[in-house]
Amino acid sequence: MSRFYLTTAIDYANGDPHVGHAYERIGADAIARWRRLRGDDVQFLIGMDEHGQKVAQVAEAEGVTPQELTDRIAATFQATWDRLGITYDRFIRTTEAPHKAGVRALIERIYERNPDDFYEQAYEGWYCVGCEQFKRDTEIADGRCLIHTNRTLERKTERNWFFRLTRYTDFLRQLNRRPGFLEPETRRNEILALIESGLEDISVTRASLAWGIPWPRPLSTGETQATWVWFDALPNYLTATGFPEPGWETRWPAQLHIVGKDITRLHCAIWPAMLQSAGLPLPARVWAHGFALFKGEKVSKSSGVAFDLDAAIARHGSDALRYFLLREIPWDTDGSYTWERFDERYTADLADAFGNLASRVLAMLARYRGGVVPDAAETELDRSGADAVHRYGEAMDALLLHRGAAAAWDLVSAANVYVDRRAPWTQAKTGDAAGLDATLAALARTLERLAVLTWPFIPEAATKLWTGLGLGDAIPVAAAWERALAPQVAGLQTSRIPALFPKPETPAATPP
Ligand code: MSP
């Protein structure tokens, strides 16, 4: 069994989860489920980024301590991920004592191995609290950060500890050129261009920040500063393995970091340089997905309200939102979503195509064969099925989740066309028993395939379908891919199941 350590970015604990956060967690969960289907020993890490000025400011505005704020927000995030069926193995919070100890150990390790990598310097620059980063002139327009146009930049003049990132320029160039380290290609080109434009050393401590991990060494003035929040957050992937306590080496490095395209630089320049400086193994692969845009706009406080995550889950259920986001928004680039598209896809792809196929096949098996799947030779539908499984596997391995979903739903369409063309009701009426057996057996095998292929996207419905086929209460994950390749349902006693994606009697009103 190969180990597959998968992580997502950890979310800032300064507000409620929104669709952008959900998109990343759902996509990573589909990948975790896919790797489990392939038989990997998956460790799936998610969590919260709880320190820094942004969190401290919100706590102050709400009149609570930062710890009270992050306790509350972390609980809300976790409850949301549970509702969405996110199968994380570990939920890390950067305020946990072992994480704080791990960050300090990592910093000390850099001091020991490469003492020149940290140095003191007075610095003056524009700080964006939204990004928790100093911004270069090229990243500022009209006095505001390009990403957080609703926030004012803060001028900071202070003496800090610096990390000598520039020393790693060649190393980072080689690393990011390595095929497969950073994908998709567009993001890799961006990082390579950034490296060519010249990296700068980075300030890694903050003078005025009370809500952070104390930097393990004081400045020459005797002052102790807090660790810059990204220097505290990035190591979560490492500290979650137990670092520096014994055993971490068996769990590190990560096979895959999933992050948004706005934080690629942090993951493909700063993080690998920190690890290299500390003499630690590097993550194998970074995937930078695009943005989920509501009506073409970035999720903001206002669009977060317009496409409220709780309302979106309540509208058609968790499976429907998972499917919709992963099918509608390409995993390798930006994509837009609206309530109307959500309703359309729910009705067309889930209720009419998938749900209807499942219920009509199980109903015909019950009506014509007492629920027992006949044993009959392969048909052209099985060949379409084998082809879909193949295309699906290639897409999922390449992390093109939208294509994986499309391959599965192509098979749904092929099966619905097959039903109409074979007209099993006519075969039954005319006494074509062999023909009817062939039709029903091919359809049952296709449903078995579809239960496996759709499980990373719509796990609840896929499991109900699996059960309806008489295959058991849960999909036997590590053995299921074999069943997608070679379905084995002949002789099983199937049963009818309630509609997987019921259509509302009266469609819910569409929010603005
Ligand atoms: N705390 C940092 C990450 C630290 S990782 C060591 C952070 N947090 S965040 O809450 O702002 O974003 C968390 C993740 O959600 C990021 O990967 C970000 O790109 C992603 N998304 C936030 N909004 C998004 C969309 N609208 N669409 C898709 N993902 C986006 O950054």
Side-chain angles (χ1 to χ4, degrees), residues 48-295:
M48 303 302 300
D49 190 351
E50 304 194 342
H51 289 126
Q53 209 171 320
K54 184 144 90 164
V55 171
Q57 280 178 355
V58 172
E60 199 185 333
E62 291 193 11
V64 295
T65 64
Q67 192 65 60
E68 282 166 349
L69 176 78
T70 57
D71 285 350
R72 192 193 79 217
I73 291 182
T76 308
F77 270 79
Q78 224 171 334
T80 305
W81 304 148
D82 293 342
R83 259 180 103 189
L84 280 168
I86 309 299
T87 52
Y88 53 91
D89 297 291
R90 168 101 157 82
F91 188 87
I92 192 170
R93 298 180 53 191
T94 55
T95 49
E96 289 165 9
H99 170 75
K100 295 193 246 183
V103 170
R104 284 194 294 264
L106 177 65
I107 294 168
E108 283 296 356
R109 197 171 155 126
I110 296 178
Y111 272 114
E112 279 155 26
R113 302 205 170 206
N114 284 295
D116 287 346
D117 277 1
F118 289 131
Y119 63 95
E120 280 182 58
Q121 189 181 275
Y123 186 74
E124 184 165 359
W126 292 107
Y127 193 73
C128 171
V129 176
C131 297
E132 294 278 16
Q133 290 178 61
F134 278 106
K135 294 278 141 172
R136 294 177 177 199
D137 289 346
T138 51
E139 296 168 316
I140 299 174
D142 299 330
R144 283 162 191 259
C145 152
L146 295 175
I147 301 174
H148 296 96
T149 46
N150 54 343
R151 287 175 178 265
T152 41
L153 291 168
E154 291 183 9
R155 189 75 186 164
K156 297 214 183 217
T157 312
E158 50 187 56
R159 194 171 178 78
N160 301 136
W161 278 108
F162 270 69
F163 176 63
R164 209 178 292 279
L165 183 64
T166 47
R167 198 179 146 217
Y168 294 91
T169 303
D170 279 342
F171 157 76
L172 291 170
R173 188 183 289 119
Q174 295 310 323
L175 177 67
N176 283 283
R177 275 187 189 154
R178 187 192 293 170
F181 174 69
L182 167 59
E183 291 169 304
E185 189 73 20
T186 42
R187 305 295 160 226
R188 180 178 176 218
N189 292 339
E190 278 170 12
I191 288 292
L192 287 172
L194 181 94
I195 294 171
E196 288 326 308
S197 74
L199 296 172
E200 287 174 9
D201 291 347
I202 46 172
S203 149
V204 291
T205 61
R206 290 289 168 271
S208 52
L209 179 66
W211 183 237
I213 301 176
W215 188 261
R217 299 197 182 187
L219 290 168
S220 52
T221 56
E223 181 195 354
T224 299
Q225 299 191 335
T227 306
W228 172 45
V229 65
W230 276 100
F231 227 74
D232 152 353
L234 289 163
N236 87 86
Y237 308 125
L238 175 67
T239 64
T241 67
F243 176 87
E245 298 305 321
W248 66 272
E249 299 96 327
T250 58
R251 299 185 204 112
W252 181 257
Q255 271 58 55
L256 177 61
H257 288 320
I258 299 286
V259 298
K261 65 173 188 177
D262 54 329
I263 56 175
T264 324
R265 184 179 75 97
L266 286 303
H267 286 83
C268 298
I270 298 178
W271 176 227
M274 288 167 74
L275 290 166
Q276 181 76 357
S277 177
L280 293 169
L282 304 173
R285 188 177 186 190
V286 178
W287 181 273
H289 61 78
F291 268 68
L293 305 170
F294 179 63
K295 297 186 182 170

Side-chain angles (χ1 to χ4, degrees), residues 23-71:
Y23 176 62
E24 182 174 302
R25 245 49 52 188
I26 292 169
D29 184 65
I31 294 168
R33 289 173 184 266
W34 161 243
R35 300 305 315 194
R36 292 191 192 108
L37 282 177
R38 298 304 307 267
D40 286 349
D41 173 16
V42 173
Q43 277 299 311
F44 178 21
L45 171 74
I46 64 172
M48 303 302 300
D49 190 351
E50 304 194 342
H51 289 126
Q53 209 171 320
K54 184 144 90 164
V55 171
Q57 280 178 355
V58 172
E60 199 185 333
E62 291 193 11
V64 295
T65 64
Q67 192 65 60
E68 282 166 349
L69 176 78
T70 57
D71 285 350

